[in-house]
Every structure is written in structure tokens, then in C-alpha cells.
Amino acid sequence: MRSLTLAEARERSSLLTVTSYAVDLDLDQGAEVFGSRTSVRFTCAHPGADSWVDLKARSVETVSLNGRPLDPADVADGRLPLRDLAADNELVVAATMAYSHDGQGLHRATDPADDRDYVYGHLFLDAAPSVYACFDQPDLKAPYDVTVRAPLDWIVLGNGAATQSGAGTWHLETTKPLATYFMTVCAGPYVSVRDEHDGVPLGVHARASLREPLERHAAELFDVTKRSFDYFHDLFGIRYPFGEYHQVFVPEFNAGAMENPGCVTFRDQYLYRGAATRDELLTRANTVSHEMSHMWFGDIVTMKWWDDLWLNESFAEYMSHRCLVDATDFTDAWVDSSIVRKVWGYGAERSPSTHPVAGVEALDAQSALQNFDGISYAKGAATLRQLIAYVGDDRFIAGVRAYLTDKSYGNGTLADFLAAIETASGKDLTAWSRAWLLTADRDTISVEVQEQGGVVGSAVVHRESPADRAADRPHAFDVAGWTDGREVARVRTTVSADETVLAELEGGPVPALLLPNASDLTWARVRLDDATVAGLREQLSQVPDEQARAVVWSALVDGVHGATVDPRDFLDVFDAAWPVETNSSILTRVASYAEHRVVPFFVPRAEQADALARLNRAGTALLERATPGTTESLAAARLVAGTSDDEALLQAWADGQGLPAGLEDDGDFRWIVVRNLASRGLVDAGDIDAFRAKDDTLQGGLNALMCRASLPDPEAKAWAWQQLTGQEGRSNYEMVHLARGFWAAPDDALVADYVPRYFTDVPAMSGWVGEDALSRVVLVAYPRVFTEETARLSADTIARDDLTPAVHRSLVDADAELREALASRAAFGAAV
Ligand SMILES: [Zn+2]
């Protein structure tokens, strides 16, 4: 299917104004297809002109334009030509559509726990025409009237409040004007918990088999929902306008969540069925708040074209963290951002695919999707924090309010947004936005101290901008220093030159650890010199400031990837500082990063078993010391379960014997254990089936697939590869789990034959897997055989001209990580 181009979108929106959509969906036609009848009213600025409507149907039954029949056979490449338009038009399309299984369009999944089916619409970015006939671009907004026919035991939810008008027939209240990609319907035997706040009816919903975790988590979900409503009402000065507010936890969801007005969809792993760490709850609260902030920024005001999608996400990313810190108990949300979101964004910045935050002209809808990454979220949010430092918070908020009020129910652009901030602040943002928004890459910052007579003689902040992407970025941040846990220096500075003298530190004590960007206000590579890294073994665990510790860990991760920090030094700091870490986000993320990135990617193969044993010792020590049931205990237990080579312990845990307190009945924890056993060949396919039988759920089925793919024998690998790449009808989630297990191997020989196969078989999947889902599969399935030969095949494949945009982009990113691993091994491989 061709992707809508910017030129086409501009032309169509200058010609057409959409007045209303009436959509009737018949979801009672079995598991394969559904009926879709759309009546769209629209005006045309130049009567007599031609245009087209987007339509991706299994079959089209009838079409009429202004009462005149059109030939359904004229639909080509997802478009139906509309000729000789009148000033006022009504188009009626009756079609049969296919349910999807890749999370794009109207996704249908069967819950193995009870064999019941669930449907949800995820129409982002251009899947709307696979559900209803529409003018699918973000600046042709219109109100919706939706009716749904569904099996008698289903409930229906959508953008407008649902009422049942007859047996199996549901009507959704007419909506405010919405962009096409926000229309959604969730239908199935969902179970619900309802509440109300400040006049807004609230609901949370999930599959029937998730009733217990839904009910267990509902109070916390409603709490953050209510606090976020109060916070955003107060901050934006505009009341939430979309009626009821439903949050639906749906199966096999590609992203974290989607901000459909009135009916937000979430991945249902967020309803943690077992024990959850505090940072997992923080992440979920953050997602709840993030999606809600989109109701204003994205939904009330929508970007005019996809190239401003970053502004939606940067804004929501910033606002949700601000809301959590100001209005909930998750006051460490920015610490989480440093070690989760910004580590992700810095990874995107290191890849050759990096791009400016804004101003990358997306010539078509699908190419816009390729730039939707850690730059859009994490860097964008950091940039907004720098903008606030530059213009002042009051003026920033005044500008945001003006922008939202001015463009309500319409569309905005980056230029509109900046103009609103300029008006509110009286500051010219031309140079600022050129440096921060329109130039890719980041500066490197470091602090140099000269000692003089036992005190600081001079302290200078160095700012280096990348030679090939020069920019003059002003940075506002803190420099802070500690010695043996005592804060001995702190100064807020604005750096707007390549050297900035910190006169405030002169004459003071020389800190053992001196850290630029200590409060993590800016976006930059923090360079730690060798002496500082060496000192971290002693110093890091004593630093009382968790925000600063997160910045140090982030800099270490960056250094490992950039081959400036030996992965063994990372593990030394881990040994010293991780077991006494008190911040939940740092604790769980650093452990996971050490286990799943540092060891397999950067530690030479011959040293990996020893490195895992080190992690295991750290985990075991913490598990023995931690209070049962706490985040510390859970993080430690997960690390032990993933890294242990103690067969007796693993078998006992898998069988439910001697489990750490709080994990006695935790299916997800058991799968970590089983996966470890499987990858060591200590269980077989029959054992995995038996564990699956104990956990006959969607999650259990996915984990069983991952474990089977992890088995170290040629038959299991051949089976898994066929299931992954062979058009076996696997869902998006099943493919990702097969890929996740596949490369586990005691030595490369077992999987070496699949390296060349990856570079032919996986790109070919674009013939039957949607781009959004495939982009994830390409990354996860990328060969974990770190050789020059893999790099050569990778480069050859990237140079091909027949790759889809998503496949190309994911290959570039995976390739960049392979090259980082090879560079690190070349730099440090011989060291001991
Ligand atoms: Zn978002």
C-alpha cells in the first residue's frame, strides 16, 4: 500500500473540509472479518474537482457518492477515486474488513485462558482505512457517530460514551472533532471497574481472565488518573472535553499505550499479575499521566502533519514526569527518566539514524514513523526543560495555554507553538530552536579542576559540539561534587561557550567525584575521565543524591557503548554500588542492563560465564539481606533467576520449592527461571509444555515460545526459525518472543548458519507483517553473533534498495549496536 505523501495531504486538506463521520461496525461476523459501513459528509472548496477516500478493505460491497453509485472495483492501492465533487457531499461505503493480528487496525486476539475473543482498534499511524473509509490525515478532523453490533456477551467501548440500544447493539455518543487515527472501538467480554472524579465518569477494563489483577490495581490506577486530571485542569486552564475517560488494557499491544480521546488503550502487561517493583508501578503511573496529557496536546490540538509528532510526544513525556513529581508519591520520576528514558534516547542519538528533534520533513506518513524514537520522547522532553530554563516556567505555561486555546479542535505546527512561547516570553527563539531543535546530535560536557594548595584553584566546564554537526547550544545545569558521601560543591550554571569558568568553586575543597549535569536538566554526553571512573568504586555508593547517581550510571552506560569505559570497570562499579542502591529505578534497570547488555554484548565471550557469576553473587547477597517482598528482594531474585548456573536451585524454584517470599505464585518469575534452564539445556520441550499447562494464559504461551526457541539444540532452533519467519500466522507478540529466545546458545556454532538467513528471511517478512510490528522483530531477531562477518552481511543488507522504511531503520540501529560491541571488544578485549 502506498503511503500518503505530504504534498497529497496538503492538496486534499486545501480542497476538503470533513463535516462528520457515521460509522457502523458489525463485529458479529466471526473471527476473520467484520462489516464496516461509513457515511462521511464533507464539503469541497472547488466543486467539480476530484479527490479520493482511503479504504483498505477485504471486499467493498457498495459505494455511493451523493446518491450516485461508484464501482467498488475502482479501489486501487487503498484508494477510491472520487470524481466531480459537489460543494456538499455524502459518501457511503459498505465494506468487509479483516481483523489484524499485528496490533495495527482492528486487532483480534483469543485469550487461551478461556478461549474468548477480544477486539481493539489501534489506528495510529495510518491504519484507519482498514477499519472505515476515511480521509486519513491528521488535519481533516470531524465528529464521529459510531454504532457497533457485537456478540451478546460483549461490551463495547469507544471515544464517546457507550449505550446499549438493543441486544448486541451499541451506540457511542457523538464525539468532538477527532483526527482519523484517534477513532477506536474496544469490544469483547471485557470486565470493568468504574469510578467517577470531578464529573468525569471513569472506567478501567481488561480481559475476563485478568479480573483479579484489574481489581487489585484499580485503586492505584484511579488514584493517578484523578491526580493527573486535577493537575492538568489546573495547569492548562481548559477542562477535559471528551466526556467519559476509559482506560482499556488490551492484548498484544505494540506500544505502551495510545491516547485515543475518551478511550485510552494500554498494553495489558501493565496489569502486573505477579509481584511488581516500585519502578514498574512508576512506569505505569507515568504512562497513565502521559496519555492523559495528550488529551490536550495531541487530541484537542493535533499536529498538522506527522513531522510534528515529536512535539506531541516531547510534551507528553515532559508533562507526565512533571505531574508525577508535583502531584503523586512518585517524586523520583525524573530519576527514572534519567536511567530509563534518557538512556534510551542517548542510544538513539549514538546511532547513525539520529536526526534533529524537529524540522525533518517527513515526505510521507510512513517515513515520519521512522523518526518516532527516543529522540522524539526523551531528547524532546529534555529540550523542553532547557526551553523552560531559557524563558521561565510561568511564561512557558502561559504560552502553552495560549497555544491550546487558540488551536482547540484544530491543528498546530511547531511554528505555531514557538510563536506562542515567543509571545508569552518576549524572547526570540530563532537561534535557540536552530541549535536545540533543528540540529542533530549532542554536546559533550566535562569539568576540569586544577588543584592548588589542597583546594580548587580553577574549575572549568568544557562543552564540545560534534565537529560534523556544529551547534551553539546554551545549557542550564548543576555541577555538584561529593567526597565520601558529603556534598562539598554545587553550583547552577548556564553554559553558552566552549569554556565556562566556575568561579564559585575556587578555593573550595576538591571533590572526589565532580559531576556536570548532576540534576540531569540538560541533554549531553557526560564524560567521566579514567580517574573518576576508577574512583566510583569507592564513591558512588556513598553519594546520597539519587538523581546524581542516575546521571553517573547513565554516563557509564554511554561510556561502555562508546568504547571509552571498559565493561569490566562497569562490572566493578556494579559490584560496589549496585547491592546498596536504594532507588528502585536505578536498582532494577542497572541490573537488567548489566545482565542483558553489558555481558552479552560487550564482555568477550570467554569471560561471559565469570561475568554472569559476578552478577549472580551480587544478586544472591542482596536477596539474602533484603526484606522479603520489597523491590530490592524482587530485583535481586530476578537477577539470580536469570544468571544462576545452580541447577538444583533453578529446578527447585521452577517446581515452586524454596521460592523467595512473595514469589510463591508468580508465573512471570517462574518463566525467568525456566528460560534460564532452557537456554542451558536443563529442560526439554516436554518440560516447557508442562510449565505452559500450569500457566495456560496469553503470557504463559508467549513465554513458552521464548523458552522453546532458547533450547540449545539444532531441531529447536530450526523449529523456532520456521515459526518466526515462515508465514506460520504468528502474532506480533509471538514473533517477538520467538526472536527473543532464538540467539541464546552456549556457543556461536549452534546458530551461526542463521546469521546469513536473518539478512534474507527477516526483511522478506515485510510481505506479510505490518511495519510497526516488523520494526520490533527486526531489532529483537538481529543476530547475537558478534563477528566481522555478521557486520559485513549487515552492511551489505543495509545497502539494499528494496527494504521497507521500517526494516531499513531497525537494521541501521541494530547494526550500530553490533559495531559498538565490536569496537569495545577491540579496545578492551585483551585487557584482564
Ligand atoms: Zn505519547
Side-chain angles (χ1 to χ4, degrees):
M1 295 279 176
R2 64 209 264 208
S3 184
L4 181 72
T5 68
L6 171 57
E8 291 171 331
R10 279 188 178 148
E11 193 192 330
R12 191 161 61 173
S13 64
S14 70
L15 190 64
L16 307 184
T17 302
V18 185
T19 316
S20 67
Y21 282 99
V23 180
D24 301 332
L25 300 177
D26 182 359
L27 307 185
D28 201 12
Q29 299 188 2
E32 296 297 318
V33 296
F34 59 96
S36 167
R37 184 184 182 284
T38 309
S39 165
V40 51
R41 292 176 177 276
F42 59 102
T43 62
C44 174
H46 303 292
D50 300 339
S51 190
W52 80 95
V53 70
D54 300 294
L55 180 57
K56 299 173 187 168
R58 173 71 66 88
S59 62
V60 181
E61 275 71 62
T62 61
V63 184
S64 73
L65 176 63
N66 302 326
R68 148 171 77 86
L70 303 186
D71 186 353
D74 286 348
V75 178
D77 223 4
R79 296 179 179 189
L80 174 66
L82 303 175
R83 299 199 176 86
D84 192 18
L85 292 169
D88 291 292
N89 301 275
E90 184 184 26
L91 175 74
V92 181
V93 177
T96 300
M97 310 298 213
Y99 290 111
S100 80
H101 300 287
D102 61 6
Q104 299 172 241
L106 202 59
H107 182 96
R108 184 168 179 132
T110 303
D111 185 345
D114 52 15
D115 281 330
R116 302 179 86 182
D117 281 13
Y118 294 87
V119 164
Y120 64 87
H122 183 62
L123 275 43
F124 177 85
L125 170 132
D126 58 2
S130 67
V131 178
Y132 64 103
C134 57
F135 301 105
D136 190 25
Q137 60 188 70
D139 62 345
L140 286 174
K141 298 167 80 166
Y144 283 75
D145 254 303
V146 177
T147 59
V148 179
R149 211 167 76 80
L152 294 177
D153 58 339
W154 285 19
I155 67 158
V156 172
L157 299 158
N159 306 101
T163 48
Q164 200 166 2
S165 49
T169 306
W170 300 73
H171 179 252
L172 305 179
E173 197 172 53
T174 308
T175 68
K176 298 277 188 200
L178 306 181
T180 45
Y181 76 102
F182 286 137
M183 187 273 204
T184 193
V185 163
C186 298
Y190 286 101
V191 293
S192 307
V193 181
R194 291 175 191 266
D195 201 340
E196 185 273 339
H197 180 67
D198 191 17
V200 181
L202 307 175
V204 291
H205 316 269
R207 285 180 277 137
S209 66
L210 295 177
R211 177 188 293 278
E212 186 279 323
L214 179 74
E215 291 178 348
R216 177 156 46 90
H217 290 288
E220 182 160 343
L221 288 166
F222 284 133
D223 181 60
V224 69
T225 301
K226 294 171 186 179
R227 288 169 188 262
S228 298
F229 263 125
D230 291 347
Y231 187 74
F232 292 136
H233 278 147
D234 188 49
L235 195 65
F236 302 144
I238 299 173
R239 255 193 85 78
Y240 168 74
F242 297 113
E244 300 186 353
Y245 194 72
H246 294 282
Q247 300 178 88
V248 192
F249 293 82
V250 300
E252 302 184 316
F253 196 73
N254 282 323
M258 177 68 206
E259 66 269 22
N260 313 297
C263 188
V264 179
T265 43
F266 294 80
R267 56 170 48 220
D268 60 17
Q269 293 96 321
Y270 275 135
L271 294 176
Y272 306 107
R273 56 185 192 152
T277 57
R278 184 177 174 285
D279 61 289
E280 286 171 330
L281 300 176
L282 185 159
T283 298
R284 184 177 67 192
N286 189 43
T287 307
V288 167
S289 189
H290 174 113
E291 303 310 325
M292 190 187 292
S293 74
H294 275 312
M295 296 298 135
W296 286 265
F297 213 103
D299 296 7
I300 294 179
V301 182
T302 307
M303 80 258 130
K304 183 154 180 62
W305 178 243
W306 296 112
D307 51 8
D308 275 333
L309 190 57
W310 72 273
L311 190 54
N312 282 4
E313 295 312 335
S314 306
F315 186 87
E317 176 96 358
Y318 168 74
M319 282 299 165
S320 63
H321 287 87
R322 177 176 175 142
C323 172
L324 289 197
V325 170
D326 288 353
T328 77
D329 295 336
F330 295 111
T331 51
D332 58 337
W334 288 119
V335 179
D336 188 78
S337 165
S338 300
I339 199 64
V340 182
R341 311 295 292 179
K342 290 180 87 169
V343 164
W344 171 46
Y346 288 146
E349 193 86 289
R350 285 190 306 266
S351 172
S353 66
T354 191
H355 54 86
V357 172
V360 186
E361 192 167 59
L363 293 178
D364 63 55
Q366 279 299 330
S367 63
L369 190 62
Q370 305 320 311
N371 280 338
F372 192 52
D373 55 18
I375 303 284
S376 315
Y377 289 80
K379 183 177 184 180
T383 302
L384 289 179
R385 292 183 91 183
Q386 286 298 312
L387 177 62
I388 291 165
Y390 191 67
V391 302
D393 190 57
D394 289 355
R395 289 164 186 176
F396 173 77
I397 295 299
V400 166
R401 284 176 165 220
Y403 171 80
L404 292 176
T405 306
D406 226 40
K407 303 286 175 188
S408 278
Y409 307 112
N411 297 82
T413 63
L414 171 62
D416 297 331
F417 178 76
L418 289 178
I421 305 293
E422 283 185 330
T423 303
S425 68
K427 280 202 174 182
D428 180 0
L429 294 175
T430 313
W432 184 92
S433 61
R434 191 187 315 118
W436 272 109
L437 297 176
L438 303 178
T439 310
D441 217 333
R442 56 184 168 155
D443 298 329
T444 298
I445 54 174
S446 56
V447 196
E448 188 188 9
V449 169
Q450 301 288 345
E451 188 176 335
Q452 207 169 37
V455 295
V456 174
S458 70
V460 178
V461 175
H462 295 280
R463 180 196 68 173
E464 294 163 56
S465 136
D468 53 340
R469 298 191 186 101
D472 183 11
R473 298 178 193 87
H475 296 263
F477 58 79
D478 291 358
V479 177
W482 295 265
T483 300
D484 300 334
R486 236 170 357 95
E487 184 174 298
V488 295
R490 184 173 288 266
V491 52
R492 168 69 57 93
T493 184
T494 300
V495 168
S496 48
D498 291 347
E499 292 198 350
T500 305
V501 174
L502 301 176
E504 299 91 331
L505 300 186
E506 288 170 14
V510 181
L513 168 63
L514 187 59
L515 188 64
N517 198 26
S519 301
D520 207 5
L521 293 178
T522 197
W523 180 262
R525 173 187 285 113
V526 170
R527 178 178 293 146
L528 303 174
D529 60 31
D530 291 348
T532 303
V533 172
L536 289 175
R537 290 177 190 79
E538 277 289 312
Q539 296 295 325
L540 181 58
S541 64
Q542 301 185 63
V543 171
D545 177 343
E546 58 187 4
Q547 179 63 74
R549 295 198 303 274
V551 171
V552 171
W553 280 114
S554 170
L556 285 172
V557 168
D558 222 10
V560 169
H561 279 269
T564 59
V565 172
D566 188 330
R568 299 172 189 85
D569 288 337
F570 182 97
L571 294 173
D572 285 347
V573 180
F574 184 92
D575 272 348
W578 180 82
V580 291
E581 180 55 57
T582 52
N583 178 273
S584 61
S585 301
I586 300 175
L587 188 76
T588 65
R589 296 301 176 140
V590 170
S592 172
Y593 183 77
E595 180 188 350
H596 298 294
R597 271 292 181 276
V598 176
V599 174
F601 279 63
F602 296 98
V603 172
R605 186 98 190 179
E607 298 174 33
Q608 287 182 4
D610 283 347
L612 283 181
R614 282 177 80 170
L615 299 182
N616 187 254
R617 280 195 298 276
T620 303
L622 178 57
L623 183 58
E624 282 167 6
R625 203 177 63 241
T627 307
T630 57
T631 289
E632 286 78 9
S633 169
L634 188 50
R638 287 178 183 170
L639 183 60
V640 172
T643 57
S644 177
D645 63 356
D646 180 344
E647 186 182 352
L649 174 81
L650 294 172
Q651 292 284 9
W653 280 4
D655 294 335
Q657 312 293 319
L659 282 160
L663 292 171
E664 293 86 355
D665 216 10
D666 192 316
D668 291 327
F669 182 75
R670 184 168 58 221
W671 284 113
I672 300 175
V673 177
V674 175
R675 184 188 182 188
N676 188 349
L677 285 165
S679 64
R680 293 173 193 274
L682 300 173
V683 290
D684 61 21
D687 298 324
I688 293 168
D689 285 345
F691 288 115
R692 166 75 208 270
K694 283 190 208 171
D695 183 17
D696 196 12
T697 62
L698 204 53
Q699 209 55 39
L702 294 168
N703 279 300
L705 280 180
M706 179 169 65
C707 291
R708 276 193 70 178
S710 304
L711 290 172
D713 77 75
E715 258 177 62
K717 297 300 180 194
W719 174 85
W721 196 256
Q722 175 63 25
Q723 292 297 311
L724 173 63
T725 63
Q727 293 202 55
E728 303 284 336
R730 292 295 185 178
S731 75
N732 53 337
Y733 270 38
E734 289 174 330
M735 289 186 283
V736 164
H737 280 77
L738 285 160
R740 217 170 257 165
F742 184 81
W743 295 101
D747 68 84
D748 290 348
L750 179 65
V751 287
D753 286 352
Y754 292 93
V755 175
R757 290 188 62 178
Y758 168 88
F759 291 105
T760 54
D761 295 355
V762 172
M765 291 166 71
S766 58
W768 63 91
V769 181
E771 287 278 276
D772 199 10
L774 187 55
S775 67
R776 289 159 221 272
V777 173
V778 169
L779 278 178
V780 180
Y782 191 85
R784 297 289 184 93
V785 176
F786 297 92
T787 61
E788 294 297 339
E789 175 61 8
T790 305
R792 191 187 63 75
L793 290 167
S794 185
D796 288 352
T797 309
I798 289 168
R800 275 168 49 179
D801 59 8
D802 62 336
L803 303 175
T804 64
V807 170
H808 182 265
R809 169 63 196 264
S810 289
L811 277 177
V812 167
D813 291 343
D815 179 87
E817 250 197 311
L818 169 69
R819 282 164 210 285
E820 288 178 343
L822 292 174
S824 170
R825 290 175 187 209
F828 302 112
V832 176

